[in-house]
Amino acid sequence: MFNIFKTLEIKYTYEHKVKELMFNSVWINLVSLGSVYFAIDSLLKGNWLVVLVYIAGSVVGKWVAMTKMYKIKNKIRILFN
């Protein structure tokens, strides 16, 4: 989710969409705080698998943000209109 929101942040900054950028920034911070909390908590308990999951999630998130987000966004717009 973090990578999707970061990609949208770049897009909204480029398009000068201040309202969307501010709303997106809230979500970036919430997702970032949550992921850091769970990652650190798991590492302190000795679960090193969380590192692999964190890296894999980052890669998949970037792929979704770059290839699938446009299609999903259009479907969401149709749903709310």
Side-chain angles (χ1 to χ4, degrees):
M1 292 304 297
F2 180 78
N3 287 318
I4 292 170
F5 290 131
K6 286 301 285 183
T7 303
L8 288 174
E9 180 183 44
I10 294 166
K11 178 182 184 296
Y12 293 147
T13 301
Y14 179 76
E15 294 174 350
H16 303 287
K17 294 183 176 181
V18 176
K19 180 181 171 185
E20 290 87 349
L21 181 61
M22 295 299 106
F23 186 70
N24 190 56
S25 293
V26 171
W27 286 108
I28 288 173
N29 290 321
L30 290 174
V31 169
S32 179
L33 284 172
S35 67
V36 168
Y37 169 78
F38 288 115
I40 297 295
D41 185 51
S42 292
L43 281 174
L44 291 175
K45 292 177 182 175
N47 183 3
W48 290 95
L49 181 63
V50 74
V51 174
L52 296 175
V53 171
Y54 191 81
I55 292 170
S58 176
V59 172
V60 170
K62 287 177 186 173
W63 176 76
V64 168
M66 297 300 292
T67 60
K68 304 294 182 185
M69 201 57 205
Y70 182 75
K71 294 175 185 177
I72 293 169
K73 188 176 178 182
N74 286 337
K75 289 179 182 179
I76 292 171
R77 266 195 205 144
I78 292 170
L79 181 66
F80 286 109
N81 285 333

